[in-house]
Amino acid sequence: MSSAVRLIRNHRLTQAVDYAYGAAVDAPVRSLWLAGACPLDTEGRTVAVGDYAGQAHQVMRNLIAVLEDEGAALTDLVRTTVYVASSDQADLVKVWEVYRSYLGSHDVPSTLLGVSVLGYNDQLVEVEAVAVLS
């Protein structure tokens, strides 16, 4: 499957970042607007309580499951927002490293945010995404 997504690189800006500065998609395409993937198991329980990396892995597995059920893949993502319930930059980096390990060379435009709290009990990580398919 060929992705409809073209990542935008801007060589007038620093190249010391591990994400593209933008993404372009030419119409016609099918868009997927995904709710934030949460670190929940199939029973609705928060997994890896207290473990930022463990929750990030579950979030990414859940995100992949939704994409696959729609015939999409991580390479169809055009934008993500990664939320981490922490004010400690080291916790954000732990989550980012797990997130980036799943994306590989598809360094989709993303925003990484530290927030005070997320919606589920013991939740530390959430990733929302937009994908497009040709």
Side-chain angles (χ1 to χ4, degrees):
M1 173 175 20
S2 175
S3 178
V5 179
R6 180 178 53 83
L7 297 180
I8 298 170
R9 316 273 178 219
N10 188 312
H11 296 287
R12 293 177 26 201
L13 302 174
T14 181
Q15 300 304 295
V17 297
D18 59 351
Y19 52 86
Y21 282 102
V25 179
D26 296 321
V29 296
R30 179 171 162 243
S31 299
L32 305 175
W33 300 81
L34 307 177
C38 298
L40 304 177
D41 65 16
T42 57
E43 303 299 317
R45 294 177 299 239
T46 303
V47 303
V49 173
D51 179 0
Y52 287 92
Q55 287 198 9
H57 282 290
Q58 183 69 38
V59 163
M60 294 308 293
R61 288 190 296 265
N62 290 350
L63 180 62
I64 290 166
V66 173
L67 289 167
E68 286 177 345
D69 283 358
E70 291 300 317
L74 291 173
T75 53
D76 295 309
L77 295 177
V78 294
R79 178 87 176 93
T80 66
T81 304
V82 180
Y83 299 94
V84 183
S86 178
S87 61
D88 185 342
Q89 191 175 37
D91 295 330
L92 278 68
V93 170
K94 287 177 199 170
V95 170
W96 184 257
E97 288 172 347
V98 171
Y99 164 86
R100 286 295 309 133
S101 73
Y102 282 85
L103 274 289
S105 64
H106 187 66
D107 55 349
V108 60
S110 301
T111 299
L112 174 63
L113 298 170
V115 298
S116 61
V117 67
L118 291 167
Y120 291 102
N121 290 336
D122 302 312
Q123 182 182 1
L124 300 172
V125 180
E126 186 166 332
V127 175
E128 64 181 15
V130 177
V132 297
L133 295 89
S134 55

